[in-house]
Amino acid sequence: MKEQTVTKIIVITSGKGGVGKTTTSASFAVGLASRGFKTAVIDFDIGLRNLDLIMGCERRVVYDFVNVIRGEANLNQALIRDKHIKDLFILPASQTRDKDALTLEGVSTVLDELSKTFDYIVCDSPAGIERGAQLAMYFADSAIVVTNPEVSSVRDSDRMLGLLSSKTRRAEEGREPLTEHLLLTRYSPKRVARGDMLSLSDVNEILAIPLLGVIPESQAVLRASNSGDPVILDKESDAGQAYMDAVGRFLGENIPHRFIEEKGNWLKRLLNFKEKETV
């Protein structure tokens, strides 16, 4: 379905750690590349580096993002081709450098070079408002804000929305703001019903940005992380299907939201509907 012509830079961000940003970055990049878009995904989390683990390419890392910025290697040397999809490439972070190793000029140069040949560039941002996170969002055209249905996560995401509207190149240049999307992860309708987590409507009311997808709480995510295969490749899992749906919506497809209520409720509604028909 390839129609992309101008390179789009997407930042995957959140205010809180541990909400599933890297899982989302990996799955989103896989989803875009599987639809024929040449996609690069960059790990901005200097010093930690988890993207290569989730994508199963940690043993193939020779050069990294910082090596390229410092002129110690070129992009072709540092980019790792994904083992599943030919149109997907990974630019890993450094585990040994300080977060200050990233510079505005260096990041700009790398993104400009990637934009010559890639349709999409996915930036896997560190949590919070540190330098890596600010640089990951600065050049973005779109932002996917990842949050869990808990008060602290949603509150921190709300803070990130403020930064996205004021601390980007688009904001500085007075251009049209980047597009914002909400991705709600680890959602459990059963726990919502018990009052253990915020509901989808609660989160929507607080953040008030378009909903891109709801990723259900699933053991498949942990299994995928441990195996080095992004969960979107697990087409039998609810989480994998939810990520694929989210990618489709991002590309403009009209896909109904799933996994936002207990599965049993669908059956109950169907039975109630049939009862009304027979009355």
Side-chain angles (χ1 to χ4, degrees):
M1 65 162 294
K2 182 169 178 177
E3 293 180 3
Q4 180 79 8
T5 52
V6 179
T7 302
K8 295 292 185 185
I9 300 173
I10 307 166
V11 62
I12 313 292
T13 187
S14 77
K16 190 172 184 291
V19 299
K21 282 188 307 302
T22 301
T23 293
T24 297
S25 297
S27 286
F28 219 81
V30 167
L32 291 169
S34 68
R35 290 167 180 256
F37 296 105
K38 192 172 183 183
T39 304
V41 56
I42 306 175
D43 191 345
F44 275 78
D45 204 352
I46 307 301
L48 291 178
R49 202 177 90 185
N50 287 316
L51 180 66
D52 55 306
L53 287 170
I54 286 180
M55 302 198 73
C57 63
E58 69 277 9
R59 294 187 191 89
R60 289 189 276 154
V61 176
V62 178
Y63 295 108
D64 57 52
F65 194 7
V66 174
N67 290 137
V68 177
I69 285 176
R70 293 194 168 183
E72 298 160 354
N74 62 44
L75 262 178
N76 285 335
Q77 289 175 292
L79 285 171
I80 302 169
R81 186 188 288 271
D82 183 69
K83 61 186 178 182
H84 299 290
I85 302 170
K86 67 179 179 64
D87 286 325
L88 177 59
F89 292 80
I90 302 101
L91 183 57
S94 170
Q95 275 187 314
T96 58
R97 305 295 180 103
D98 187 84
K99 295 182 187 298
D100 290 333
L102 292 184
T103 64
L104 188 68
E105 297 77 13
V107 172
S108 176
T109 299
V110 170
L111 293 177
D112 286 346
E113 188 68 23
L114 289 170
S115 295
K116 294 175 184 177
T117 53
F118 285 87
D119 298 306
Y120 283 103
I121 302 168
V122 178
C123 301
D124 180 24
S125 172
I129 58 172
E130 46 130 295
R131 183 167 181 78
Q134 291 180 9
L135 288 173
M137 74 170 68
Y138 183 76
F139 297 96
D141 301 301
S142 297
I144 297 175
V145 180
V146 183
T147 189
N148 291 157
E150 57 181 60
V151 172
S152 62
S153 179
V154 174
R155 179 196 62 198
D156 290 346
S157 292
D158 201 25
R159 187 181 184 194
M160 292 307 296
L161 289 173
L163 294 175
L164 288 167
S165 65
S166 60
K167 294 282 190 179
T168 65
R169 183 168 62 176
R170 283 174 170 267
E172 286 183 3
E173 295 176 354
R175 290 191 287 145
E176 185 179 341
L178 51 69
T179 56
E180 299 165 337
H181 307 271
L182 171 64
L183 191 79
L184 188 59
T185 56
R186 295 177 186 161
Y187 193 74
S188 169
K190 188 177 291 187
R191 292 176 63 193
V192 170
R194 292 202 307 260
D196 294 340
M197 62 173 53
L198 296 175
S199 69
L200 176 58
S201 59
D202 291 333
V203 178
N204 272 330
E205 185 175 339
I206 297 168
L207 297 181
I209 59 174
L211 178 66
L212 186 64
V214 175
I215 311 300
E217 204 167 38
S218 171
Q219 286 298 312
V221 175
L222 180 59
R223 288 196 304 270
S225 297
N226 288 335
S227 67
D229 295 318
V231 71
I232 196 170
L233 295 170
D234 183 357
K235 297 177 181 178
E236 300 301 315
S237 71
D238 287 352
Q241 294 171 40
Y243 271 117
M244 193 59 83
D245 286 353
V247 172
R249 290 188 200 99
F250 182 84
L251 294 173
E253 298 172 17
N254 185 17
I255 302 173
H257 286 281
R258 301 188 277 171
F259 316 114
I260 58 177
E261 56 183 75
E262 289 185 67
K263 289 183 178 179
N265 287 349
W266 289 97
L267 181 59
K268 288 177 187 175
R269 288 201 326 214
L270 181 62
L271 292 174
N272 288 337
F273 178 74
K274 288 187 174 179
E275 283 177 10
K276 288 177 184 177
E277 277 189 328
T278 57
V279 171

